[in-house]
Amino acid sequence: MLKNIKPIHYLLSIFLLSLLYAFISMDTLPFKYADIFDEKNYVAIVKNFSHLLRSQTFTPYYNSRLLIPTIGHCLFRILNIEYTLTNIEAVFLALNFLSIIVAIYYYFKIAQIKKYSQSTTILGFCFLFVNFFILKFSNFYPILMDVFGFTSGLILYYYYLAKNKVKFYTSLLIFMFIFPTTILIVLALITANFIVFNEKGIEIKKHIKTYRLVIFIPIILSLLYFYYHNYDLLILKTASDFSIQSAAGLIPITIFLLGGFIFLALKYILPLLDKIYLNLKGYSSSMFIFPVGILVTYFLVSKYLSFNFHGQNTLSLEKFLFNIAQQATSFPLKFLITHFIYYGIFIIFILYFHRIFFSYMRKTDSFQKIILIIFILFSLGTETRQFLQLYPFVVILFLDSIKEYKFNIKLLIGIFAFQLVWSRFWYTINSPEGFLNNAFPGPNFLEFPSQRYFQFQGPWLSTNNSMIYGGILLITYIIFRKILKLYLVEPQNITMIKDSE
């Protein structure tokens, strides 16, 4: 009987046990910090939703994250539960766990549509679920919208593949109130109506070197201007802000490495746009009309909810772009390091198979190409959570590009094991950092969670840990590159693609 059980069932069972352990271990952010970070606003909505709705005093910034706290509030009302922080956290833990289970369900439905082999399905499962974000962060910091954003991305992509327009557009409208990057998906849909690729379009690939320089030089000049114009501000923040503590001394190295990353990104992005053509009649498509209707509905509802709001300022576009630039230049390639902490081996695979992946992406439709380009642009920031909703799109597209490869089951088990260990790995250091001095007045840096959260999270990753994790990333890449070369047999069509490039 055991012979009939597939390896994927064994790995899924181990994962579910690990997930269950993670959620019942109570390894969570202590309540005493609930008034400092994002969860204070979600807690306020859960406790005071009815009052906030009557007085129309929701923060515009949180309208795009409003639905889940509202569901939490309704659960408290229906079940007549006391509004304590312990109970609120327990409800969010349950909702997060349920959200992950729903995400797994939709992933396997996508794998069925794509007709993935068992090895490809296991690989995608490791990329999406066996990682720090799912097995650590989702339960350590449960009162956030990150998990729901991730799950919504998988749901949207499934309905997009299934061509179920009613459920796809309905989900889009609902998810506009769950995670803010849904608006980027809507804008990508709108833009895809006007951008098509055919024989009448501009031949970018034929003149790729010229176009690359034409775009690259203004970007680098803008980057240099940013440093020149904001140098004093960066130096000031370096002395006081944990998130960019290492910027001043490493600016030259950072510019060089960031410039190289941008140059290589353009090298592979621009061919995706070959034969690009503007379709001025795109406004007549249903894929234009419905997304525009969703945007209008969302802004009308948001205007109503925030009508009498006079509180905190929202994040302006200018500040948002400054934050992205600040994060991208805070430490040499820190954004790759933080993404590696979140997703592990997937970053290694993207780097290793980048040519195959981008060659495949040339054949995809406009919408998916735009999603990938948005994902790359957002990857420059160290806040990995900024593209959580887009991450499932990119993983599935990546699996499509390498599905012809035959992955040895021992290699897959090794990848699963690495991801499982990596998702629970905590390197602890005990040195005071700038941001922590502000976050924890009079902190004891041996005390949980000072080294167990901020030194592993986005822009708050310390300089020491940036260097250590950067070294681990490099070593892991070298090892897996050798392993993949030894154990992978390239399909003939893949070899031909590489030869042509």
Side-chain angles (χ1 to χ4, degrees), residues 389-437:
Q389 196 176 35
L390 306 178
Y391 179 66
F393 286 72
V394 177
V395 169
I396 302 301
L397 290 169
F398 178 75
L399 294 177
D400 288 344
S401 70
I402 63 168
K403 65 182 179 181
E404 298 300 324
Y405 282 89
K406 303 297 182 184
F407 290 91
N408 184 285
I409 189 61
K410 293 181 180 179
L411 177 60
L412 291 170
I413 291 173
I415 291 171
F416 178 88
F418 178 90
Q419 291 288 92
L420 194 61
V421 172
W422 188 245
S423 67
R424 304 295 298 177
F425 176 69
W426 290 91
Y427 167 74
T428 301
I429 62 174
N430 300 314
S431 59
E433 307 290 357
F435 178 82
L436 290 178
N437 287 328

Side-chain angles (χ1 to χ4, degrees), residues 48 78 122 137 159 220 317 326 342 402 445:
N48 304 307
I78 293 171
I122 291 174
F137 190 66
Y159 288 131
I220 292 301
L317 178 61
Q326 175 182 306
Y342 253 66
I402 63 168
F445 289 95

Side-chain angles (χ1 to χ4, degrees), residues 88 99 105 133 149 164 236 317 383 399 409 446 466:
I88 292 174
S99 180
Y105 169 77
F133 166 63
N164 191 325
L236 179 64
L317 178 61
E383 288 269 24
L399 294 177
I409 189 61
L446 296 174
S466 294

Side-chain angles (χ1 to χ4, degrees), residues 159-195:
Y159 288 131
Y160 179 77
L161 290 175
K163 301 186 186 303
N164 191 325
K165 292 185 177 180
V166 174
K167 291 185 178 179
F168 178 69
Y169 290 125
T170 302
S171 298
L172 261 182
L173 180 57
I174 293 171
F175 297 156
M176 288 290 286
F177 296 93
I178 285 183
F179 209 67
T181 50
T182 310
I183 195 170
L184 296 176
I185 298 174
V186 174
L187 293 175
L189 281 169
I190 293 172
T191 306
N193 290 283
F194 298 96
I195 295 179

Side-chain angles (χ1 to χ4, degrees), residues 3-282:
K3 291 182 179 179
N4 297 325
I5 301 178
K6 297 179 179 179
I8 192 171
H9 296 147
Y10 284 114
L11 298 181
L12 183 59
S13 299
I14 294 171
F15 167 79
L16 290 174
L17 288 173
S18 301
L19 182 68
L20 184 62
Y21 168 76
F23 273 82
I24 66 175
S25 65
M26 297 306 294
D27 185 13
T28 56
L29 191 73
F31 294 137
K32 62 182 176 180
Y33 304 117
D35 290 334
I36 302 174
F37 308 116
D38 287 2
E39 71 267 32
K40 66 179 180 181
N41 297 283
Y42 305 125
V43 168
I45 294 172
V46 171
K47 288 182 175 180
N48 304 307
F49 175 79
S50 301
H51 171 74
L52 292 171
L53 182 63
R54 287 194 300 271
S55 58
Q56 298 171 310
T57 54
F58 289 102
T59 310
Y61 179 74
Y62 286 98
N63 284 340
S64 59
R65 301 165 173 84
L66 184 61
L67 185 57
I68 300 300
T70 302
I71 291 173
H73 172 80
C74 293
L75 288 174
F76 273 85
R77 292 288 296 271
I78 293 171
L79 301 175
N80 196 26
I81 305 173
E82 185 181 357
Y83 291 103
T84 64
L85 282 175
T86 302
N87 290 339
I88 292 174
E89 183 182 69
V91 167
F92 270 90
L93 279 169
L95 291 174
N96 281 359
F97 188 89
L98 178 62
S99 180
I100 293 170
I101 299 302
V102 170
I104 292 172
Y105 169 77
Y106 275 96
Y107 168 67
F108 282 110
K109 286 177 74 71
I110 290 172
Q112 285 182 336
I113 290 179
K114 294 284 189 177
K115 297 180 180 179
Y116 287 152
S117 65
Q118 180 178 260
S119 63
T120 304
T121 303
I122 291 174
L123 193 64
F125 185 81
C126 290
F127 291 159
L128 286 167
F129 299 101
V130 192
N131 54 46
F132 162 85
F133 166 63
I134 294 294
L135 290 175
K136 180 64 180 179
F137 190 66
S138 61
N139 52 84
F140 180 74
Y141 201 169
I143 309 180
L144 282 182
M145 300 305 107
D146 294 23
V147 176
F148 309 107
F150 168 78
T151 299
S152 69
L154 273 166
I155 294 172
L156 285 174
Y157 197 49
Y158 169 73
Y159 288 131
Y160 179 77
L161 290 175
K163 301 186 186 303
N164 191 325
K165 292 185 177 180
V166 174
K167 291 185 178 179
F168 178 69
Y169 290 125
T170 302
S171 298
L172 261 182
L173 180 57
I174 293 171
F175 297 156
M176 288 290 286
F177 296 93
I178 285 183
F179 209 67
T181 50
T182 310
I183 195 170
L184 296 176
I185 298 174
V186 174
L187 293 175
L189 281 169
I190 293 172
T191 306
N193 290 283
F194 298 96
I195 295 179
V196 293
F197 301 90
N198 57 35
E199 59 277 358
K200 295 188 295 182
I202 302 172
E203 296 186 0
I204 291 178
K205 191 177 178 182
K206 190 175 181 180
H207 308 284
I208 185 68
K209 292 183 179 179
T210 302
Y211 282 105
R212 193 163 61 203
L213 287 175
V214 167
I215 298 174
F216 176 71
I217 291 174
I219 290 176
I220 292 301
L221 291 176
S222 299
L223 184 63
L224 292 172
Y225 174 76
F226 166 79
Y227 275 114
Y228 174 78
H229 185 69
N230 296 286
Y231 188 77
D232 291 338
L233 180 59
L234 285 172
I235 296 298
L236 179 64
K237 281 184 169 287
T238 297
S240 60
D241 192 336
F242 178 81
S243 63
I244 61 164
Q245 59 179 299
S246 59
L250 297 171
I251 282 178
I253 298 175
T254 299
I255 290 179
F256 176 77
L257 292 176
L258 183 59
F261 179 88
I262 293 171
F263 186 81
L264 290 173
L266 288 173
K267 177 183 177 181
Y268 291 100
I269 288 176
L270 287 176
L272 299 180
L273 305 178
D274 194 37
K275 305 290 185 181
I276 189 170
Y277 174 74
L278 292 179
N279 175 28
L280 300 179
K281 296 182 180 179

Side-chain angles (χ1 to χ4, degrees), residues 328-456:
T329 56
S330 62
F331 183 88
L333 303 184
K334 185 194 272 191
F335 50 92
L336 282 182
I337 297 168
T338 56
H339 303 336
F340 175 59
I341 292 171
Y342 253 66
Y343 299 125
I345 293 295
F346 179 70
I347 305 303
I348 306 295
F349 269 70
I350 281 284
L351 294 174
Y352 183 82
F353 290 102
H354 64 275
R355 286 194 295 173
I356 304 302
F357 177 49
F358 282 97
S359 294
Y360 171 81
M361 285 302 300
R362 294 174 196 168
K363 307 169 189 175
T364 57
D365 58 49
S366 301
F367 170 64
Q368 295 181 92
K369 286 181 179 179
I370 294 169
I371 289 292
L372 176 62
I373 293 171
I374 293 173
F375 180 87
I376 292 172
L377 294 176
F378 270 66
S379 71
L380 288 175
T382 54
E383 288 269 24
T384 306
R385 56 193 293 201
Q386 290 173 339
F387 59 75
L388 278 170
Q389 196 176 35
L390 306 178
Y391 179 66
F393 286 72
V394 177
V395 169
I396 302 301
L397 290 169
F398 178 75
L399 294 177
D400 288 344
S401 70
I402 63 168
K403 65 182 179 181
E404 298 300 324
Y405 282 89
K406 303 297 182 184
F407 290 91
N408 184 285
I409 189 61
K410 293 181 180 179
L411 177 60
L412 291 170
I413 291 173
I415 291 171
F416 178 88
F418 178 90
Q419 291 288 92
L420 194 61
V421 172
W422 188 245
S423 67
R424 304 295 298 177
F425 176 69
W426 290 91
Y427 167 74
T428 301
I429 62 174
N430 300 314
S431 59
E433 307 290 357
F435 178 82
L436 290 178
N437 287 328
N438 297 324
F440 309 113
N444 172 9
F445 289 95
L446 296 174
E447 180 187 0
F448 173 88
S450 57
Q451 332 93 8
R452 307 200 66 193
Y453 173 67
F454 290 99
Q455 291 169 350
F456 303 89

